[in-house]
Amino acid sequence: MSRADAARQLGLTRATITHLVESLSGRNLVTELRPKRQKNSRREPGRPGVTITLHPDGGYFLGAEIGVGVMRFALLDFGLNVVDTVTVSVSPKISPGAAIERVAGHARALEKNGKFKGRLRSLGMTVPGLVRSDGFVVHLPILGWKDVNLQALAESQVHVPTLVENNANAAAFGEAYLKPSQPQDSIVYLKLGTGCGGAAIVNGRLLRGAAGNAGEFGHLRVAASGPQCSCGQVGCLESWVNLAALAKAYRTKMPPAEDGLSLPMRIASKAVEGDRAARAAINSIADYLTIGLLSLTNIFNPHTIFLGGAMRPVLASCLEALRGRVGAGIVPGMRVPEIRLSTLGEMECAIGAATITHHRACDVSHIEIADIG
Ligand SMILES: [Zn+2]
């Protein structure tokens, strides 16, 4: 926005805004954009058209997703541009220590290549499991981790403020943070892959619950029996809509972790070719997913439900069916939610983690300009 708009919105004088902008631009935190002057165009009197914006070089924020058999990294600049992404295959049973060594090694490589110019502000990490707000990974059965102080482990090696977040929470937050124009009051997000993570944004904030564990939508009970879920129970939504469920519905063996990620793509393209078994497998996923989406809609009355994760190709091929079934199955009179694929793609958790650290750095409720500068 322009200096005049900033003064108006913040209730400050033009002189104060000028002082603040000069101070912030001296620290490379904001910059002023001048519109390209077109030939023969006359400037509107009193509206110079110069806007203040975040300076991309003001700081850098690294997001790291620790997944099953895979780690993904995304580097965001202060202007929220994604400046670097990397995906690496790792052991599907990677230990916390080995994962942090990978993160630290990646940060060193980025620094060596001049990617963040000595201005890495913070690190955000995600895991597909239960995380406490103090950075403790409480329960991560899919990797076999329990009670790990991941935040302390990371900070001892990467030496920047670090936060640890549930992967679906991070992806949902990133989706909302990078698209401020979309309605933020009520968003539900499901990440379907090896497991099924969930998150809800209610009144513009991540729903956290009493201990930070809210949004475990994958463990909604949708049946009284069924395959055993990663949580130890039976009948959870996750066990009917994840990669293993897809493989089972297609009567194929679940491939090893790294190859498993491409299974949805294979089945979705088979379905396009007219393969009946592939279509039936996708239908089976859609049937159970509908039950979960109906419950979530009845609970949250969401504006939008975003679907992401490794199951994306399968979700894309049944998106219209899901929309129709959810519309027909909710309480009559209730608003039908928009159901969309998440827009950030496979980097959604890493980008989301970086956006949360960016938000913390800019959050006026505990901003410390001296620290940022
Ligand atoms: Zn479960």
Short mmCIF file of all heavy atoms in Angstrom, two decimals, residues 216 218-221 228-239, ligand 1:
data_model
loop_
_atom_site.label_atom_id
_atom_site.label_comp_id
_atom_site.label_asym_id
_atom_site.label_seq_id
_atom_site.Cartn_x
_atom_site.Cartn_y
_atom_site.Cartn_z
N GLU A 216 -7.20 -34.10 14.29
CA GLU A 216 -6.80 -35.46 13.88
C GLU A 216 -7.97 -36.13 13.15
O GLU A 216 -8.51 -37.15 13.60
CB GLU A 216 -6.35 -36.27 15.10
CG GLU A 216 -4.98 -35.86 15.62
CD GLU A 216 -3.87 -36.11 14.61
OE1 GLU A 216 -3.90 -37.15 13.92
OE2 GLU A 216 -2.97 -35.25 14.50
N GLY A 218 -8.11 -37.82 10.50
CA GLY A 218 -7.87 -39.17 9.97
C GLY A 218 -8.37 -40.25 10.91
O GLY A 218 -8.59 -41.39 10.49
N HIS A 219 -8.56 -39.88 12.19
CA HIS A 219 -8.99 -40.89 13.16
C HIS A 219 -10.47 -40.76 13.50
O HIS A 219 -10.94 -41.30 14.50
CB HIS A 219 -8.09 -40.86 14.38
CG HIS A 219 -6.64 -41.03 14.00
ND1 HIS A 219 -6.15 -42.21 13.49
CD2 HIS A 219 -5.61 -40.14 13.97
CE1 HIS A 219 -4.86 -42.05 13.18
NE2 HIS A 219 -4.52 -40.80 13.45
N LEU A 220 -11.20 -40.02 12.67
CA LEU A 220 -12.67 -40.05 12.77
C LEU A 220 -13.10 -41.49 12.52
O LEU A 220 -12.64 -42.12 11.57
CB LEU A 220 -13.30 -39.20 11.64
CG LEU A 220 -13.41 -37.70 11.80
CD1 LEU A 220 -13.94 -37.11 10.48
CD2 LEU A 220 -14.35 -37.35 12.93
N ARG A 221 -13.98 -42.02 13.36
CA ARG A 221 -14.46 -43.39 13.14
C ARG A 221 -15.56 -43.38 12.09
O ARG A 221 -16.59 -42.74 12.29
CB ARG A 221 -15.00 -43.96 14.44
CG ARG A 221 -13.96 -44.10 15.53
CD ARG A 221 -12.94 -45.19 15.14
NE ARG A 221 -11.92 -45.28 16.16
CZ ARG A 221 -12.07 -45.96 17.29
NH1 ARG A 221 -13.18 -46.61 17.54
NH2 ARG A 221 -11.10 -46.00 18.17
N GLN A 228 -6.55 -52.30 10.71
CA GLN A 228 -6.01 -51.57 11.84
C GLN A 228 -5.32 -50.29 11.37
O GLN A 228 -4.58 -50.28 10.40
CB GLN A 228 -5.02 -52.44 12.62
CG GLN A 228 -4.72 -51.81 13.98
CD GLN A 228 -3.85 -52.69 14.85
OE1 GLN A 228 -2.91 -53.31 14.36
NE2 GLN A 228 -4.16 -52.75 16.13
N CYS A 229 -5.62 -49.22 12.06
CA CYS A 229 -5.08 -47.91 11.73
C CYS A 229 -3.71 -47.74 12.40
O CYS A 229 -3.37 -48.46 13.33
CB CYS A 229 -6.06 -46.85 12.24
SG CYS A 229 -5.53 -45.17 12.01
N SER A 230 -2.93 -46.73 11.94
CA SER A 230 -1.62 -46.48 12.55
C SER A 230 -1.75 -46.11 14.03
O SER A 230 -0.81 -46.24 14.79
CB SER A 230 -0.90 -45.36 11.80
OG SER A 230 -1.61 -44.14 11.96
N CYS A 231 -2.94 -45.66 14.44
CA CYS A 231 -3.16 -45.29 15.85
C CYS A 231 -3.48 -46.50 16.71
O CYS A 231 -3.60 -46.38 17.93
CB CYS A 231 -4.27 -44.25 15.97
SG CYS A 231 -5.93 -44.91 15.70
N GLY A 232 -3.65 -47.67 16.09
CA GLY A 232 -3.93 -48.88 16.86
C GLY A 232 -5.40 -49.27 16.88
O GLY A 232 -5.75 -50.38 17.25
N GLN A 233 -6.28 -48.35 16.50
CA GLN A 233 -7.72 -48.63 16.51
C GLN A 233 -8.15 -49.20 15.15
O GLN A 233 -7.34 -49.29 14.23
CB GLN A 233 -8.51 -47.34 16.80
CG GLN A 233 -8.06 -46.61 18.04
CD GLN A 233 -8.41 -47.36 19.32
OE1 GLN A 233 -9.29 -48.21 19.35
NE2 GLN A 233 -7.70 -47.04 20.40
N VAL A 234 -9.41 -49.53 15.06
CA VAL A 234 -9.96 -49.95 13.76
C VAL A 234 -11.13 -49.03 13.39
O VAL A 234 -11.75 -48.43 14.26
CB VAL A 234 -10.45 -51.42 13.75
CG1 VAL A 234 -9.30 -52.39 13.93
CG2 VAL A 234 -11.53 -51.64 14.81
N GLY A 235 -11.39 -48.93 12.07
CA GLY A 235 -12.53 -48.15 11.60
C GLY A 235 -12.23 -46.68 11.38
O GLY A 235 -13.13 -45.90 11.06
N CYS A 236 -10.95 -46.26 11.55
CA CYS A 236 -10.60 -44.84 11.33
C CYS A 236 -10.68 -44.49 9.84
O CYS A 236 -10.34 -45.31 8.98
CB CYS A 236 -9.18 -44.56 11.80
SG CYS A 236 -8.95 -44.72 13.57
N LEU A 237 -11.07 -43.25 9.57
CA LEU A 237 -11.12 -42.75 8.19
C LEU A 237 -9.80 -43.02 7.46
O LEU A 237 -9.80 -43.47 6.31
CB LEU A 237 -11.43 -41.24 8.21
CG LEU A 237 -11.43 -40.52 6.87
CD1 LEU A 237 -12.54 -41.05 5.96
CD2 LEU A 237 -11.58 -39.00 7.07
N GLU A 238 -8.68 -42.73 8.13
CA GLU A 238 -7.36 -42.90 7.53
C GLU A 238 -7.17 -44.26 6.88
O GLU A 238 -6.65 -44.38 5.77
CB GLU A 238 -6.28 -42.68 8.60
CG GLU A 238 -4.88 -43.07 8.16
CD GLU A 238 -3.81 -42.64 9.16
OE1 GLU A 238 -3.85 -41.48 9.62
OE2 GLU A 238 -2.92 -43.44 9.46
N SER A 239 -7.62 -45.32 7.57
CA SER A 239 -7.34 -46.66 7.07
C SER A 239 -8.19 -47.01 5.85
O SER A 239 -7.96 -48.03 5.21
CB SER A 239 -7.53 -47.69 8.19
OG SER A 239 -8.83 -47.58 8.71
ZN ZN B 1 -6.69 -44.08 13.70
#
